[in-house]
Amino acid sequence: MKNIMTLALACTCIGAAAPCLAQSSVTLYGIVDEGLTYTINQNGGHNFQLQSGATQGSRWGLRAAEDLGGGMRAAFLLENGFGPSTGVLGQNNRLFGRSAYVGIDSHAGTLTI
């Protein structure tokens, strides 16, 4: 019985000391598209206007990937659209309304939800 307890304790210590070999990467990204428009001869005068989304919509997001081993990889993406002038959420006031998915990628193909 004493030998079994020693073996169990040794296995527990070895398991707790083993390093984690998984490497993940989480990327925070974004674009803020806000501009100032100057209009000449608007109702007989000139006008300055704040303009959002002149070339593309403002957004920020989180993207991550995790190697699971054996040629498999897990990934997710959460992307939020917003108006930089007001801070109002885009896509019908949904937090991650631009894009949100989680998936697994392998040699056989990709499954995303």
Side-chain angles (χ1 to χ4, degrees), residues 57-78:
S58 297
R59 71 194 88 159
W60 70 271
L62 296 167
R63 180 182 305 131
E66 176 78 31
D67 185 16
L68 301 175
M72 293 186 69
R73 186 176 72 101
F76 77 86
L77 177 96
L78 297 170

Side-chain angles (χ1 to χ4, degrees), residues 1 14 22 37 45 77 102:
M1 185 70 171
I14 291 171
T37 304
L77 177 96
V102 63

Side-chain angles (χ1 to χ4, degrees), residues 34-40 42-43 46-52 54 85:
E34 186 77 6
L36 188 63
T37 304
Y38 176 69
T39 307
I40 300 173
Q42 183 175 13
N43 296 329
H46 62 276
N47 191 9
F48 286 98
Q49 295 173 325
L50 201 55
Q51 183 179 11
S52 298
S85 301

Side-chain angles (χ1 to χ4, degrees), residues 41 79 113:
N41 198 14
E79 190 171 279
I113 298 172

